[in-house]
Structure formats: structure tokens, C-alpha cells
Amino acid sequence: MAIERTFSIIKPDATRRNLTGAINKKIEETGLHIVAQKRLHLTTDQAQKFYEVHKERPFYNDLVTFMTSGPVVVQVLEGENAVATYRDVMGATDPANADAGTIRAEYAEGIEANSVHGSDSQDNAEIEVDFFFSDIELVG
Ligand code: CMP
């Protein structure tokens, strides 16, 4: 199986409730390795650019406000089929539809404050990793 990298954000609703360690434990239990992470406060400009694909959606402005409402932890995860593996453990976008045991089923507050983001494809993973980690050399 292919070793891949994917990009993750632990969102403000989760950092506010001190859930970074609990979420990292769930990630590591899948076998994925957290090969880079940093905690930062997104600027409005960064959040708007990161979620530009959703610009025309009715929830876009609220999403940008939410994502800049507190610190986030941005991460690079590495392992077998990292994109799909991380999406499995995140669970569905809406926690009401997330399988038991997933991060969103256990921790998300709602469809917007859903605790984590993960890339939806290998191509987007590369773009999103580059968005936040272009300045450092990643060590697997
Ligand atoms: P994420 O995986 O980061 O990708 C886009 C985000 O938009 C999503 O997680 C949610 O936080 C948010 N989102 C998606 N759908 C909705 C919705 N219907 N209402 C509000 N927020 C949403």
C-alpha cells in the first residue's frame, strides 16, 4: 500500500476544549504518524484563501469567522493511504451522521464546529500541506 501524506486542522472548537491530545491519540491509534504540527491563529486572509473553494456557499462567511475565532493546530499526517485513513477516523462532516468512535462523533459540536479538517484527495493534500508548511523540510 502507498505511503501518503495528508493535511489536518484541529479546529478552534477543539483547541478551546483542550482536545488536541485526545484527537492526536485517535490519529496515532490509526497508525498514522504526525510528522509536523504547529498551533497558530489563522488570519481572516488565510482562512478565506484556505476555504476559497467554498466561497459561494451560504456558510462561507460564518466558516471564516469560526476558523479565526481561536487557535488551530495544523498538521501533516503520514502513513498508508493517509488521506482515506484520516477521513475514516474523522467521520462524516455532520457529526449527526458520523460513525461511533470517530473524532467527529465523539467531539464535534455541530456541522460547522466539527473539530477537525482533513484533505479530501492526494492533490489537495499536497496543496494544503504547502499552504502551511512550505517553509520547513518534512521528516517522515
Ligand atoms: P471541512 O472539512 O473543514 O470543510 C469545509 C467546512 O465547512 C466543513 O469542514 C465544516 O466545518 C463547514 N461546513 C460544511 N458544511 C456546512 C454547513 N452545511 N453549514 C455550516 N458549515 C458547514
Side-chain angles (χ1 to χ4, degrees), residues 67-112:
M67 290 300 292
T68 56
S69 66
V72 299
V73 178
V74 294
Q75 307 177 304
V76 183
L77 311 181
E78 185 178 276
E80 281 183 8
N81 296 318
V83 170
T85 301
Y86 190 42
R87 291 184 75 77
D88 282 350
V89 76
M90 283 197 301
T93 303
D94 184 347
N97 301 324
D99 289 341
T102 60
I103 293 169
R104 285 168 170 160
E106 291 203 9
Y107 301 123
E109 294 181 321
I111 194 168
E112 177 181 81

Side-chain angles (χ1 to χ4, degrees), residues 40-77:
L40 50 90
H41 201 127
L42 292 179
T43 64
T44 298
D45 188 54
Q46 280 176 313
Q48 284 174 337
K49 285 205 176 95
F50 185 80
Y51 280 119
E52 201 154 26
V53 63
H54 298 302
K55 206 174 164 53
E56 303 307 325
R57 303 281 197 99
F59 58 80
Y60 177 72
N61 286 337
D62 277 354
L63 178 61
V64 169
T65 300
F66 164 63
M67 290 300 292
T68 56
S69 66
V72 299
V73 178
V74 294
Q75 307 177 304
V76 183
L77 311 181

